[in-house]
Amino acid sequence: MRYVTSIIVLEPLYEFIAYSKSLYTAFIIAAADGLGDVYMTEQIKIVTLGCDKNLVDSEIMSGIMDQYGHELVENAEDATVIIVNTCGFIDAAKEESVNTILELADLKETARLKALIVSGCLTQRYKEQLLEEMPEIDGIVGTGDFHKINDIVAEALQGKKPVRVGNPVFNYEQILPRKVATPRYTAYVKIAEGCDNNCTFCSIPIMRGKFRSRSMKSILAEVKQLADQGVKEISLIAQDSTNYGVDLYDGFKLPELMNKVSEVPGVEWVRLHYAYPGFFTEELIDTIASNPKVCKYVDMPLQHSEDTILKRMRRPGRQRDSRELVRKIRARIPEVALRTSIIVGFPGETDEDFENLASFVREMKFDRLGVFTYSPEEDTAATRLPDHVPDEVKEWRANTLMEIQREVSKNVNERHIGRMLDVLVERYDGRNDVYIGRSQYDAPEIDGEVFISNCKLSIGEIAKVKITHALEFDLAGEGVL
């Protein structure tokens, strides 16, 4: 991410909900009678919060709703049923989820809304509190049950207040109908669900369950469907993508999967997200280096540089291992763009630890960097650690790191001046007469853009662009016919 926002440590969720209600309307009780035939066509709005993995879940729910004859609408005011797919990863995400639910519940009085369904990570973790504190909710769906969304909507419209929150074991093995919400030329594909790494700060295993790979056959079938629809860029995602296949096959199978995805007709770019550093194999490095359709882009969260903090986080290896892995990747993939994420303010992080971390960021010159302030998550081991860092110190440290990264990013971008880059064209800015797109070094939404002038292009094409200017996070250049 380009900017860092402060993350507020919330009170327990039920207290925050009670507080939030004072900012909105009083309780709204939906009438169970007079809702009509539950099998009639409904106008469905799905609101997605959180990560791209959540987005895929929402796309599946959209596909199911469409398959059953419901109409998907853009505006919440036009909806008779709203599904809020929540995030519960950190306190700021919980806050956003709760506020969104409350805001949308108001539409029961002012618009056509008959049922408000809540799904995703927040429901998987806090279903009892949500049901008790928010009677506005008409149905709840967990992270392993969203494929049952049509039945849940039907029951909610009957006033039954259905709850489907079981063990999160679903892993996309069955290819379900899907309406892709991203632009037609790019899509995310989940290759695994859950996580077994048990980092002390992370609640993903609680909300998403144990790591489970999806079969290669299922993934390739979905990629073919997407490519047939015109998708050129496939972003492979999982909480722990580098561990792909160990539970299904004989060893790490991510390199084989990436090669097979690249062979699907119509696929031009294959992008890898969330590569856990502990399982980054030699074969994976070779695959990224040698396959021309695999983006020279590595999204590998390191989280910190200092050994004492890495140990407390229960992260793999130590600083010397991170340095060696980064050195190896850059040596074998000379043009690679390396994205990482850092957590500041973890319990026990001293001023000296942070100063060393800042020096590490300056020295390593990551092409892309996301900085997050530590957020204590219930039922995670880190909450029991001593020496928690004050919020104002966390925020200052995060802002300091991003200021360092601004300078680093500008210098990194300048290396592209004079080079020819392939750029995926995403939109046209008529006011400034420029097209805007991304190179293989930039992932959707989170990274930089390329501004293209002096050429007429088509949205969704991959164009040749000569880079003429470098900004802090973006590039500019001229299209080459």
Side-chain angles (χ1 to χ4, degrees):
M1 296 178 65
R2 300 190 194 177
Y3 303 105
V4 175
T5 56
S6 61
I7 296 176
I8 303 170
V9 179
L10 302 180
E11 300 170 337
L13 187 68
Y14 70 92
E15 295 179 3
F16 174 70
I17 293 171
Y19 166 75
S20 295
K21 286 180 181 292
S22 67
L23 304 178
Y24 299 98
T25 61
F27 286 0
I28 302 169
I29 307 298
D33 296 328
L35 290 176
D37 184 355
V38 297
Y39 296 104
M40 69 186 294
T41 297
E42 300 293 340
Q43 286 70 51
I44 310 288
K45 169 64 176 177
I46 299 181
V47 178
T48 305
L49 306 173
C51 66
D52 43 31
K53 296 182 288 295
N54 246 23
L55 176 63
V56 175
D57 294 347
S58 290
E59 291 174 343
I60 296 292
M61 289 191 285
S62 295
I64 293 171
M65 293 288 91
D66 181 68
Q67 186 182 60
Y68 277 93
H70 299 295
E71 178 188 359
L72 298 168
V73 297
E74 287 294 324
N75 297 318
E77 291 80 6
D78 298 328
T80 56
V81 176
I82 294 178
I83 302 165
V84 183
N85 195 5
T86 61
C87 178
F89 184 49
I90 56 177
D91 284 331
K94 297 174 194 173
E95 181 178 5
E96 180 186 24
S97 294
V98 170
N99 285 344
T100 300
I101 294 166
L102 291 169
E103 288 173 342
L104 292 172
D106 285 349
L107 295 178
K108 289 183 179 180
E109 289 187 338
T110 62
R112 308 174 62 222
L113 184 62
K114 296 187 288 188
L116 179 61
I117 312 295
V118 180
S119 66
C121 290
L122 198 71
T123 61
Q124 187 69 32
R125 199 169 179 193
Y126 298 111
K127 68 175 182 179
E128 291 87 359
Q129 289 165 281
L130 289 169
L131 287 170
E132 179 181 350
E133 298 294 329
M134 302 181 77
E136 299 93 335
I137 296 173
D138 299 297
I140 284 182
V141 191
T143 58
D145 299 276
F146 62 86
H147 53 294
K148 304 171 185 173
I149 188 64
N150 187 65
D151 294 337
I152 292 159
V153 167
E155 291 180 25
L157 289 171
Q158 291 177 307
K160 294 181 179 179
K161 295 229 173 190
V163 176
R164 298 287 192 282
V165 182
N167 291 328
V169 296
F170 183 71
N171 75 339
Y172 286 80
E173 188 58 29
Q174 178 186 0
I175 302 175
L176 296 170
R178 177 179 174 189
K179 289 186 73 68
V180 177
T182 48
R184 67 182 186 277
Y185 46 80
T186 185
Y188 296 101
V189 173
K190 276 193 183 182
I191 64 173
E193 265 285 11
C195 187
D196 289 343
N197 294 319
N198 293 313
C199 299
T200 60
F201 56 83
C202 184
S203 57
I204 291 296
I206 300 171
M207 297 182 290
R208 291 282 179 174
K210 289 185 172 295
F211 180 83
R212 51 207 184 274
S213 299
R214 180 181 176 186
S215 75
M216 206 172 295
K217 178 181 178 181
S218 172
I219 295 168
L220 293 173
E222 184 176 20
V223 170
K224 185 179 185 306
Q225 284 184 359
L226 293 168
D228 289 346
Q229 296 167 16
V231 172
K232 296 180 179 180
E233 178 185 37
I234 298 292
S235 294
L236 302 178
I237 57 172
Q239 193 63 34
D240 175 7
S241 59
T242 42
N243 208 19
Y244 173 75
V246 294
D247 55 329
L248 289 183
Y249 307 110
D250 183 20
F252 300 104
K253 293 298 180 180
L254 181 59
E256 180 181 345
L257 174 66
M258 294 175 74
N259 284 327
K260 288 187 175 181
V261 169
S262 74
E263 294 168 2
V264 174
V267 173
E268 298 295 331
W269 286 357
V270 180
R271 188 179 299 278
L272 177 63
H273 285 277
Y274 317 124
Y276 189 73
F279 306 128
F280 213 102
T281 64
E282 300 285 334
E283 185 183 4
L284 180 56
I285 296 175
D286 290 340
T287 298
I288 298 171
S290 62
N291 190 320
K293 288 191 176 182
V294 173
C295 294
K296 310 313 175 209
Y297 177 94
V298 173
D299 185 353
M300 183 176 64
L302 296 177
Q303 309 299 11
H304 214 279
S305 65
E306 298 308 285
D307 290 355
T308 54
I309 304 300
L310 291 170
K311 184 177 179 180
R312 284 185 165 211
M313 289 180 168
R314 206 180 292 150
R315 296 291 291 175
R318 295 296 175 259
Q319 184 182 140
R320 65 177 181 276
D321 302 298
S322 297
R323 287 178 177 275
E324 175 58 22
L325 180 55
V326 169
R327 184 203 64 77
K328 189 184 299 183
I329 290 172
R330 284 177 166 164
R332 306 238 301 261
I333 317 171
E335 299 303 321
V336 71
L338 183 59
R339 160 173 276 279
T340 196
S341 59
I342 298 293
I343 297 174
V344 297
F346 192 78
E349 183 186 67
T350 63
D351 289 342
E352 182 180 0
D353 290 330
F354 176 73
E355 290 169 6
N356 291 338
L357 174 61
S359 297
F360 179 78
V361 169
R362 286 192 189 94
E363 179 186 349
M364 300 304 288
K365 294 181 172 58
F366 296 109
D367 301 79
R368 313 284 183 258
L369 179 70
V371 181
F372 303 90
T373 57
Y374 167 73
S375 174
E377 296 301 306
E378 295 174 63
D379 302 319
T380 60
T383 61
R384 299 187 293 273
L385 292 173
D387 303 321
H388 281 247
V389 178
D391 289 346
E392 61 273 16
V393 175
K394 296 179 193 176
E395 186 174 350
W396 179 85
R397 290 175 180 177
N399 291 333
T400 299
L401 275 197
M402 283 310 298
E403 285 303 313
I404 294 171
Q405 183 61 22
R406 284 179 185 277
E407 182 179 349
V408 169
S409 180
K410 178 69 159 48
N411 292 335
V412 167
N413 277 348
E414 286 176 350
R415 75 185 184 191
H416 293 299
I417 294 177
R419 293 182 57 195
M420 201 80 69
L421 295 183
D422 289 335
V423 177
L424 179 58
V425 182
E426 299 199 283
R427 64 187 188 277
Y428 174 66
D429 178 355
R431 183 175 182 179
N432 295 300
D433 192 25
V434 295
Y435 289 88
I436 303 169
R438 292 180 290 108
S439 74
Q440 65 169 315
Y441 307 117
D442 298 290
E445 303 294 333
I446 60 173
D447 293 326
E449 296 177 315
V450 181
F451 298 89
I452 312 161
S453 60
N454 198 34
C455 196
K456 184 172 179 57
L457 302 169
S458 299
I459 305 303
E461 76 167 297
I462 296 177
K464 295 286 185 184
V465 179
K466 184 175 182 180
I467 303 302
T468 57
H469 296 84
L471 310 173
E472 284 182 342
F473 297 104
D474 303 313
L475 298 170
E478 297 180 349
V480 178
L481 297 177

